[in-house]
């Protein structure tokens, strides 16, 4: 079985893939000092709790936090006896190489999103991924990642507003009942929610106009369903898109003799 690991700036997700479906998915906070032993203790405890006993033989990793990869490598080698495939490293093949400026290295999560979206929906796709940053990833007709947009994430914006303005409280994001707030919390929620609706709509419109062809819009990430409420922003939401992309990349490397 395959263990797919997506390590982001805020959270790290572990999913076990049996070749047809994900058996389980666990999430933990990202911490560069977490050791291989700590990862295994956490992971094995959750497997036991949910009654899952997978025979992990392969590991694939996408990490936007380089310092975490070393301990994840040790975790894979020590407890599963395999050297992990790390997306973004020269030895990891992609079904289609990204077409970006020379010297540019797209984030591994963005590459996985592109591969996963193309496998499920074909090309001419925009993937909107709501994470620490809000990424817009453009996938060409042949499946290649060809660029995109990076905007501040929703929670990052809320933290910046709270930290930079002493009188403003920290609030949780939700869709307000009305645009005009009548208290501070409602005003912040309205500004962030409707501000991001405008950001998402505007960027997607500009991407489509510049691309010049019909495009599907796929969303992923924890806050994507929130921004779908009452708005026709996305053609589809997929919570496992990045992990699916990792399984496709792993299979491609297996088929081409890398593993």
């Amino acid at each position: 079985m395959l263990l797919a690991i997506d390590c982001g700036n805020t959270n790290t997700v572990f999913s076990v893939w049996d070749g047809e479906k994900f058996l389980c998915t666990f999430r933990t906070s990202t911490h560069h000092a977490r050791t291989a032993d700590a990862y295994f203790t956490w992971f094995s405890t959750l497997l036991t709790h949910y009654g899952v006993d997978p025979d992990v033989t392969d590991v694939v990793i996408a990490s936007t936090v380089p310092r975490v990869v070393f301990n994840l490598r040790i975790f894979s080698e020590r407890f599963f006896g395999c050297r992990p495939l790390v997306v973004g490293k020269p030895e990891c093949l992609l079904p289609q190489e990204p077409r970006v400026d020379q010297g540019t290295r797209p984030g591994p999560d963005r590459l996985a999103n592109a591969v996963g979206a193309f496998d499920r929906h074909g090309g001419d796709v925009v993937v909107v991924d709501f994470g620490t940053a809000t990424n817009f990833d453009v996938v060409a007709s042949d499946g290649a990642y060809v660029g995109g947009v990076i905007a501040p994430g929703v929670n990052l914006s809320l933290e910046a507003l709270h930290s930079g303005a002493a009188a403003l409280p920290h609030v949780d994001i939700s869709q307000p009942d009305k645009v005009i707030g009548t208290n501070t919390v409602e005003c912040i929620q309205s500004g962030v929610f409707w501000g991001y609706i405008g950001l998402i709509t505007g960027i997607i419109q500009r991407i489509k106009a510049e691309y010049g062809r019909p495009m599907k819009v796929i969303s992923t990430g924890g806050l994507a369903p929130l921004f779908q409420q009452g708005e026709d922003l996305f053609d589809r939401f997929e919570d496992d898109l990045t992990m699916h992309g990792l399984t496709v990349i792993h299979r491609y490397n297996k088929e081409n003799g890398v593993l």
Side-chain angles (χ1 to χ4, degrees), residues 225-236:
L226 171 66
F227 289 98
Q228 182 67 8
Q229 296 178 16
E231 298 290 326
D232 188 20
L233 296 177
F234 316 119
D235 295 305
R236 186 163 180 178

Side-chain angles (χ1 to χ4, degrees), residues 17-183:
W17 174 254
D18 69 356
E20 296 182 355
K21 62 184 182 298
F22 289 110
L23 298 180
C24 56
T25 296
F26 306 135
R27 184 181 300 267
T28 185
S29 59
T30 299
H31 196 311
H32 72 271
R34 183 173 284 122
T35 65
D37 292 345
Y39 276 118
F40 183 73
T41 300
W42 167 81
F43 183 63
S44 60
T45 300
L46 285 174
L47 289 176
T48 301
H49 176 75
Y50 287 102
V52 181
D53 186 20
D55 180 19
V56 174
T57 57
D58 296 87
V59 179
V60 59
I61 299 171
S63 176
T64 58
V65 187
R67 289 192 295 173
V68 173
V69 174
F70 175 78
N71 283 329
L72 288 175
R73 281 187 184 274
I74 299 300
F75 165 74
S76 303
E77 294 170 354
R78 179 178 299 169
F79 297 106
F80 303 117
C82 66
R83 183 172 180 81
L85 178 69
V86 181
V87 178
K89 296 296 184 182
E91 63 271 18
C92 179
L93 302 179
L94 297 172
Q96 289 289 344
E97 288 299 311
R99 292 194 291 274
V100 293
D101 293 345
Q102 187 173 3
T104 299
R105 298 179 61 184
D109 56 334
R110 307 184 79 180
L111 296 175
N113 282 343
V115 172
F118 182 73
D119 184 69
R120 285 179 170 173
H121 303 284
D124 299 330
V125 172
V126 182
V127 178
V128 185
D129 188 353
F130 291 85
T132 304
T134 301
N135 293 331
F136 298 74
D137 302 319
V138 180
V139 186
S141 58
D142 63 351
Y145 170 83
V146 293
V149 176
I150 300 176
V154 178
N155 288 321
L156 191 64
S157 298
L158 284 169
E159 288 293 339
L161 189 63
H162 173 61
S163 300
L168 296 181
H170 176 78
V171 302
D172 294 325
I173 183 63
S174 63
Q175 180 174 352
D177 294 329
K178 54 187 185 298
V179 175
I180 301 174
T182 53
N183 58 64

